Structures are given as C-alpha cells and as structure tokens.
Amino acid sequence: MHTRMAIIGGGPAGHTAAIYAARAELEPIMFEGWMAGGIAPGGQLTTTTYVENFPGFVEPIMGIDLTDKFRLQSVRYGTRIFTETVTTIDLQSHMHRVSIPGLYGAPGHASVSLRSAEDEPPPGSGDSHSALAHNVRPFTLHTPERVVTADAVIIATGASAKRLRFPGSGDEAEGGYWNRGISACAICDGASPLIRNKPVAVVGGGDSAMEEAMFLTRYASKVYIIHRFNYLEASKSMARRALANPKIEILWNSEVKEAHGNDQECLGSITVARSLGPAVGVSGPGNLVQAPSAAAAPTKLERVEVNGLFFAIGHKPATEFLQGQLELDEYGYIITMPGSTATSVPGVFAAGDVMDRKFRQAITAAGSGCMAALEAERYLQALDSGASAPLAAAASVPQQYTSAAPASQTPSAAFDFSSASQLQPAETQGVSGGA
C-alpha cells in the first residue's frame, strides 16, 4: 500500500494535519495507534475529563468527546484511519545524498535521498530535476497488520506524562483516582470545580513543578509541593518565587504512598512518607551546594487532605520507534527547524507534543499540525514539479539550535539553512486545504 502522505498519531496535531491534507486531496493515511504508550487513540486528551480551553466550545467538553470530533472531521474529508501502532519506520536505510539545485529551482542547493546510485538518470537523459524527483525513495512504515510506503511522513505521536504508581493512583477501573483528582496537567485541570478553593498537591522539584504550583495558587486554597529531596532542583529564581508564595508549603524529603477517596468518590487525601531530615531550600545541581543526603533520617507517615494531586515529574515523547533516524534533543523530543516542522530528514515533519516540550497544549499541537500539513504539501508539490525537495525539509537543524542535544546525536552530514527564506516563494503561496 502506498500513500502520498502518512500521519503517525491520532491526537489534535495528527488530526489537524489530516484535515488539511485531505482537503488538499492528498488522501492521507493515518495510523492513530492502539494503546501506544498505554494511551487510547486520540492521545492525552482521552485521559482528561472536561476541556474548557479549546476554542469553539462554549460549554466544557469531555476530552474523549473532543477527540471523537477530531476523528469524524478527518474521515469526513477523506482521511483513511487505521487503529494500528507503527512499530518501525525506515527513513534512511539504503539511501545516499546528492546535491542538486536549490529550492524550487532557486539558487543554492539541497539534498535529496535516492534509492541507489543506479537510480540516477544517465547524462543527457533529459530533465534531471524531474528524474531525480521521481526517484526519491519512499519511506516505509510497519505495523503488526501491514506495510505502507509514503512520499511524506508527519510524526505526531505526542508525549505521555510520567506517572507515579502507588495504591489509588490508577484509573477508576483499578480503584484509583486518576482524572478524579489526580492529574498530570495543572493548566488542564487546575480550574476544575473538583479542586477550586480546596487544597492540592504537586509532586516534583523542578521548574515545571514550581510553575504548576504557582499556577494552582490562582484556584486552590493551599498548594503543597511534595519533593523527595531536601533541596529543589528548579532554577534559583523559580525556587525562590515558590518559597515566597504564602499559599505554597513544601513537604521536604517526602513521597506519596497512597491516595484515598472522599464521599464523592474523588480524591480526598493522600498518605505521605516524610523523612525527618533538615530542609535546605534552594540547592541542587547548577544552583547552590547540594545538601547531604537525608536517607538515613527516621521516616513517619502523615495523612494530608488534598482534593487534587498533580504529577510534575516530566514527560516521555513517543520517539523510540524512530530508532535514532531523526535528530532528537537530550530529552528525546524531535528537533525541528526554528519556525518550522521540518526535521533532519527530507520529507519528514513533526508536530505536536513530540516536538514541543514547552507548551504541551491541545491547541498548540493543532496549530503545529496545520504547519506540518502545509509544509508537507509544498514538499510534495516540489517533487511533482521536478524541483528539488524544500530546503527546510532537506536540511538538518543547525548546531546553535541544538545546544541541548548531545554531540553523539548530531548527524555527520551538515546542511545549510541559509536559503530557508525561500520556503514559501510567491508562486506557491496559494496552497489548497487552508482554512
């Protein structure tokens, strides 16, 4: 099975890309996944309750209902959806790179991956641009049920919040309080009536935990920060802001051991194991001198009444199936060209939380899905017209934008972004499939 465009992931980024691509008559194929990373098709939105900050819905809408609407709209315009998980993908094996004239035939150069040296057109065989464009090797996607080749790929596999496991932390089916007071997104659930004007707790000690705790002070009566060390790993400025907030109390050397319900069958309290070692405050790697370990200090169990518990211990992007074929940062997120969704491999684009570790919102994911579809469409137009691949899709990310990535993840081949301003020449601006 072959498609012009394959989309991996069925969240807001993937479905927005699918809607734009389908309206552009590219007949995209989407692999929405099946319990990939333990999350149902639709992504992290399926794990939330009421969504109140997605435009167009005056009344709150359940996360799973919103993802159902995404799916119906994608199908409505012609997207073929398979409820299958892409387990492996071939982006660059048996490929080599050649230099050909630049973007849409403009001055400069870009790199295009070909099947093999034997596939190159012989000298004097006619239009070398057209021959090269039609010899670009398609990508190969594997699921347990099928193999699909694609001329362009949009990766929108998202990232899942890291969760702690203890009695009461699981889903309702497990007898836990996930989505009934326990969450991993303060921005999504912090204003919920379940916890408004009530005490809540945040687990974590980094910048994200400090940000979420300070955000929650707008709605909660009190915010506990539960951290297993006697120092904060957050930056000094973030830590000091949290320590100075009168609504925030930090439970040092502490870990959550169990969650308990209330009369409404929602979270009502937690059991916390507290080590009685000294607290330091602003410290840790990169800040002040790290405090001595309090591991040997005596421990006691405390019951803390909270109606909300938020995990702020990081996210894990779904990029393992790429097997090192794309440039990733040190946290495993796909690196894209600044202001673009283009990745380090020509014809492969990334959208949503899999490339965004800063905002991680449904609406920003949808916006990047639109960008990916438009850029992928222009890439395909360039190939069809016999021009070289768009430079943004053919270039790797320059080193100054990848300072977080270890040197071992930087490809040996370097490319130039100097002509990136040519990404949208005047003759291609009227792209079909727009809003």
Side-chain angles (χ1 to χ4, degrees):
M1 181 185 298
H2 180 77
T3 180
R4 298 304 313 280
M5 184 184 297
I7 299 168
I8 309 174
H15 280 295
T16 304
I19 292 165
Y20 272 77
R23 292 187 67 230
E25 300 182 353
L26 293 174
E27 300 180 347
I29 287 178
M30 170 185 284
F31 294 100
E32 64 179 354
W34 174 246
M35 301 308 295
I39 299 178
Q44 289 193 85
L45 278 178
T46 63
T47 70
T48 66
T49 51
Y50 290 108
V51 177
E52 299 177 321
N53 55 3
F54 200 90
F57 296 91
V58 178
E59 299 298 324
I61 181 172
M62 294 291 289
I64 195 165
D65 293 336
L66 183 57
T67 60
D68 285 345
K69 291 182 181 294
F70 293 160
R71 196 180 196 278
L72 289 171
Q73 191 172 359
S74 293
V75 173
R76 160 70 175 79
Y77 289 103
T79 303
R80 296 181 63 186
I81 300 179
F82 295 105
T83 308
E84 302 169 9
T85 301
V86 174
T87 54
T88 59
I89 183 170
D90 180 4
L91 298 181
Q92 35 194 10
S93 63
H94 308 299
M95 293 185 181
H96 76 286
R97 298 188 179 276
V98 295
S99 294
I100 57 178
L103 180 66
Y104 300 115
H109 72 277
S111 297
V112 173
S113 302
L114 304 180
R115 292 176 183 267
S116 65
E118 288 76 14
D119 290 326
E120 297 185 44
S125 61
D127 186 349
S128 61
H129 282 186
S130 178
L132 284 173
H134 287 89
N135 276 319
V136 173
R137 181 181 183 273
F139 307 109
T140 306
L141 294 74
H142 299 263
T143 78
E145 287 77 23
R146 72 194 73 240
V147 176
V148 172
T149 57
D151 297 324
V153 174
I154 295 175
I155 300 173
T157 46
S160 57
K162 296 178 181 178
R163 294 168 55 177
L164 296 177
R165 293 292 181 180
F166 48 80
S169 67
D171 301 326
E172 184 175 2
E174 302 170 337
Y177 301 98
W178 182 255
N179 281 334
R180 294 187 296 157
I182 301 181
S183 170
C185 181
I187 293 177
C188 309
D189 303 320
S192 167
L194 290 175
I195 60 177
R196 189 182 284 268
N197 298 318
K198 297 174 183 176
V200 302
V202 175
V203 178
D207 280 351
S208 295
M210 302 304 107
E211 290 176 357
E212 299 222 341
M214 287 185 285
F215 175 82
L216 287 166
T217 60
R218 305 178 189 180
Y219 308 103
S221 60
K222 185 177 184 65
V223 179
Y224 297 98
I225 294 177
I226 300 174
H227 191 41
R228 58 180 176 166
F229 301 126
N230 59 352
Y231 60 87
L232 294 176
E233 299 147 309
S235 62
K236 288 188 286 186
S237 60
M238 291 294 296
R240 285 170 177 157
R241 286 176 61 192
L243 290 167
N245 193 305
K247 277 192 171 184
I248 294 177
E249 178 182 344
I250 300 181
L251 304 183
W252 304 101
N253 306 315
S254 301
E255 295 184 28
V256 180
K257 293 298 185 181
E258 188 172 357
H260 313 279
N262 56 21
D263 294 340
Q264 289 76 43
E265 297 185 348
C266 296
L267 180 68
S269 63
I270 55 177
T271 297
V272 176
R274 300 190 65 185
S275 177
L276 303 181
V280 173
V282 184
S283 187
N287 293 324
L288 305 179
V289 178
Q290 186 166 330
S293 172
T299 300
K300 70 173 182 176
L301 296 179
E302 291 184 7
R303 187 82 165 249
V304 181
E305 291 189 3
V306 293
N307 295 93
L309 178 64
F310 296 87
F311 299 144
I313 54 176
H315 287 71
K316 181 181 180 181
T319 53
E320 291 182 354
F321 75 102
L322 297 173
Q323 299 178 342
Q325 297 178 86
L326 290 180
E327 285 192 58
L328 308 177
D329 69 11
E330 63 178 320
Y331 302 101
Y333 290 83
I334 298 175
I335 298 175
T336 57
M337 173 183 173
S340 170
T341 61
T343 71
S344 56
V345 172
V348 180
F349 305 84
D353 289 7
V354 76
M355 48 77 72
D356 171 23
R357 61 185 175 92
K358 181 178 181 181
F359 297 106
R360 299 194 300 267
Q361 298 298 302
I363 193 65
T364 54
S368 64
C370 166
M371 293 170 58
L374 294 179
E375 290 185 303
E377 182 184 357
R378 291 176 184 132
Y379 172 87
L380 294 173
Q381 287 174 341
L383 296 183
D384 291 343
S385 66
S388 65
L391 184 60
S396 71
V397 180
Q399 186 62 37
Q400 61 264 37
Y401 295 108
T402 61
S403 57
S408 61
Q409 292 181 344
T410 303
S412 58
F415 300 95
D416 180 19
F417 272 172
S418 61
S419 302
S421 60
Q422 303 169 15
L423 180 60
Q424 189 175 347
E427 63 269 22
T428 65
Q429 289 180 356
V431 178
S432 62

